[in-house]
């Protein structure tokens, strides 16, 4: 039910945006911003986006996130995602407070934070592993809502501060780093888990292309 309501809300947002998009384009009033996440660059993670205006108050944004670390502080942290988002600004596009609906897909090879200890891990087959040797590989589908605030610092530069929370549906396989074998199952099937969590956020430095 939550997913149906989310998708309906997302479609409504895009429909409202398309009603006046043609009129805005004819009047040459639409704007496009390219942006990068300033919080992630220092740790070598790239998060780039493009936000396009549809109406006076509605925009759409697409972005990619690339974390290429096979080892980061001794932990796997390869994470690649793409997302699409519709935004509604309470004032006007690219100015002040907004809310949005987001959908994202990701592929990952990482070690969850609760696997960082060197303690024993017991699987369902009576086998014992060192927890810190275990990692997970799979993909996720995420649906969420975004809230943020964007403000102008010059004619072409904006700063966009935002965060998103949503439901993540994860499909993954668990491996033992020392042997390369599965630690969680004896077949080749995926595990599945679902959780609600914050999954996006940061400070985007935005440059106006038009």
């Amino acid at each position: 039910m939550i997913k149906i309501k989310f998708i309906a809300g997302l479609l409504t947002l895009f429909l409202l945006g398309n009603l006046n998009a043609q009129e805005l384009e004819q009047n040459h009033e639409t704007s496009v911003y390219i942006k990068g996440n300033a919080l992630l660059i220092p740790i070598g993670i790239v998060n780039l986006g493009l936000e396009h205006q549809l109406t006076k108050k509605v925009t759409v944004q697409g972005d990619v996130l690339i974390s290429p670390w096979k080892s980061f502080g001794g932990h796997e942290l390869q994470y690649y995602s793409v997302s699409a988002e519709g935004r509604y600004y309470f004032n006007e596009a690219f100015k002040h407070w907004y809310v949005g609906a987001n959908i994202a897909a990701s592929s990952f090879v990482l070690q969850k934070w609760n696997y960082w200890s060197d303690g024993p891990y017991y699987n369902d087959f009576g086998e014992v592993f060192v927890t810190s040797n275990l990692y997970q590989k799979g993909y996720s589908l995420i649906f969420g809502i975004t809230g943020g605030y964007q403000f102008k610092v010059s004619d072409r530069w904006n700063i966009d501060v935002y965060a998103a929370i949503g439901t993540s549906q994860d499909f993954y396989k668990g491996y033992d780093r020392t042997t390369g074998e599965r630690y969680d199952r004896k077949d080749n099937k995926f595990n599945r888990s679902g959780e609600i969590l914050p999954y996006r956020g940061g400070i985007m430095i935005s440059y106006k292309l038009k």
Side-chain angles (χ1 to χ4, degrees), residues 111-182:
Q111 186 180 61
K112 296 181 180 180
W113 65 269
N114 54 334
Y115 283 73
W116 291 0
S117 75
D118 292 327
Y121 178 94
Y122 302 92
N123 67 12
D124 294 336
F125 308 102
E127 298 171 325
V128 183
F129 299 87
V130 178
T131 303
S132 60
N133 285 336
L134 309 180
Y135 68 94
Q136 297 76 38
K137 179 178 181 180
Y139 63 93
S140 300
L141 298 175
I142 311 171
F143 307 88
I145 56 174
T146 301
Y149 187 88
Q150 188 166 170
F151 60 94
K152 179 178 293 188
V153 293
S154 71
D155 287 341
R156 286 192 172 271
W157 292 95
N158 279 13
I159 294 179
D160 179 9
V161 182
Y162 73 101
I165 187 172
T167 173
S168 177
Q169 303 301 311
D170 307 312
F171 305 85
Y172 65 93
K173 299 176 181 180
Y175 294 92
D176 180 4
R177 187 187 297 149
T178 57
T179 65
E181 301 294 328
R182 296 282 299 269

Side-chain angles (χ1 to χ4, degrees), residues 33-41 46-51 61-65 83 85 87 98 149-151 153 157-163 200-207:
Y33 281 80
I34 187 170
K35 50 181 62 178
N37 197 328
L39 288 186
L40 298 180
I41 288 296
V46 177
N47 183 199
L48 300 175
L50 196 68
E51 185 174 4
Q61 175 172 300
D63 67 77
V64 297
L65 187 146
S83 74
E85 183 169 284
R87 291 181 171 185
Y98 63 84
Y149 187 88
Q150 188 166 170
F151 60 94
V153 293
W157 292 95
N158 279 13
I159 294 179
D160 179 9
V161 182
Y162 73 101
R200 299 176 73 245
I203 301 174
M204 287 283 198
I205 307 300
S206 306
Y207 178 77

Side-chain angles (χ1 to χ4, degrees), residues 73-91:
H75 312 288
E76 289 81 1
L77 187 58
Q78 294 183 71
Y79 190 88
Y80 308 91
S81 74
V82 294
S83 74
E85 183 169 284
R87 291 181 171 185
Y88 176 81
Y89 287 81
F90 296 102
N91 186 350

